[in-house]
Amino acid sequence: LGLATAVVAGGGRPPLDRLVLGTVAVAIGAAGVNGLTNYLDRDVDALMERTRHRALPSGRIRPAAKVLPYAGGLTALALFLAWLLNPWAAVAGFGGTVASLMGRKTSFTHLLGGLAVAAPVAVGWLAVEPGPSPTLLFLVLLVMGWVPLHVWSLMLAYREDYLRAGLRLFPVSWRVADAVKVLWGLCFLLYGISLVGYLMAPLGALYLAAANLLGLGLVYAGSRLWRGQGEGDAWRLYRLLTYPYLGIMFVVIMLDTGVV
């Protein structure tokens, strides 16, 4: 996301040195923060079938605290590189780091997750452009609308796994019939954000077509989940969000703002 945003910020031709340095900062920062969050979540991850084979909960790295100097060092280095590019990029990266580490395995975490995932977007932009813009605001809103829907659809797909681990938080703590209504509503919200982006950013017909096609697919997948209320329906929504949706949206945004 940071790379794509830097390309957009540079009108398709960002300065190569700033593009490379910004991409490196985002990549190693993501690795460092991911190591820290895996350390914090290791005990709960060990209780879940989906996550118990990861390096820390499975015990392949012992003691678990061995990862802290590496993860912390990568995070600090990423923030330093972001500072070299733009102090505000470092501020955005630090805010994303804090958001990633707060309130692990709570419903509030997944709302903070929107801020955490938006941080690389802000870093990528500020690595090339000195200040914010309506386009950056739209990209941040798009990511923040995507994260809860992405995470909560996965949680519904593995609902029993979360419950066995004692994680009684939204959406698994709600009746499935009620939780799927919220997720379907979020599909409409994300679709709406994508259309607002057409007005906020210098985007053209290619983006509008992609936003409508993907948005309608998203709403359809949400409606199937609402009607079926099964784990398979939740998994299909998650897969749509994970692979085609956000990736295609950012690729189209790059294409429509001058990358070619």
Side-chain angles (χ1 to χ4, degrees):
L1 297 184
L3 172 62
T5 307
V7 171
V8 172
R13 293 169 178 81
L16 183 59
D17 57 340
R18 301 186 75 82
L19 177 66
V20 171
L21 190 57
T23 301
V24 170
V26 168
I28 64 176
V33 172
N34 186 61
L36 294 175
T37 56
N38 273 268
Y39 174 80
L40 294 175
D41 290 343
R42 66 194 186 283
D43 292 335
V44 173
D45 285 346
L47 302 175
M48 298 179 62
E49 182 63 30
R50 185 176 66 85
T51 55
R52 67 184 181 90
H53 297 293
R54 291 175 178 174
L56 291 180
S58 66
R60 294 200 304 274
I61 298 177
R62 291 183 178 177
K66 285 174 62 176
V67 306
L68 291 178
Y70 300 100
L74 287 173
T75 303
L77 177 58
L79 293 174
F80 173 71
L81 295 177
W83 179 271
L84 294 179
L85 288 163
N86 184 338
W88 287 111
V91 171
F94 179 75
T97 300
V98 172
S100 298
L101 301 179
M102 288 178 61
R104 305 304 304 157
K105 290 293 188 285
T106 68
S107 298
F108 190 56
T109 303
H110 303 127
L111 299 176
L112 287 172
L115 295 174
V117 179
V121 172
V123 171
W125 182 277
L126 294 169
V128 175
E129 283 292 314
S133 78
T135 301
L136 174 58
L137 177 60
F138 156 60
L139 295 175
V140 167
L141 290 174
L142 184 68
V143 168
M144 291 186 67
W146 171 84
V147 168
L149 185 56
H150 164 77
V151 175
W152 289 339
S153 59
L154 176 65
M155 291 177 67
L156 278 184
Y158 285 90
R159 185 172 185 271
E160 296 304 319
D161 202 15
Y162 277 84
L163 290 174
R164 281 193 297 269
L167 295 173
R168 301 186 177 278
L169 58 155
F170 180 85
V172 298
S173 60
W174 285 31
R175 291 176 56 246
V176 174
D178 295 328
V180 296
K181 294 176 184 176
V182 175
L183 266 64
W184 194 27
L186 289 174
C187 291
F188 283 99
L189 175 62
L190 185 55
Y191 183 19
I193 291 172
S194 71
L195 295 181
V196 170
Y198 180 71
L199 305 176
M200 296 178 65
L203 298 167
L206 176 63
Y207 171 80
L208 187 61
N212 276 295
L213 181 62
L214 290 168
L216 290 172
L218 195 63
V219 169
Y220 174 71
S223 71
R224 288 192 60 176
L225 175 59
W226 174 56
R227 293 195 306 269
Q229 301 180 16
E231 293 181 354
D233 300 307
W235 179 251
R236 280 186 285 272
L237 176 59
Y238 168 76
R239 288 291 301 271
L240 173 61
L241 287 159
T242 302
Y243 301 109
Y245 184 84
L246 201 63
I248 291 176
M249 288 290 281
F250 269 78
V251 168
V252 170
I253 289 168
M254 285 195 295
L255 294 174
D256 226 359
T257 52
V259 71
V260 294

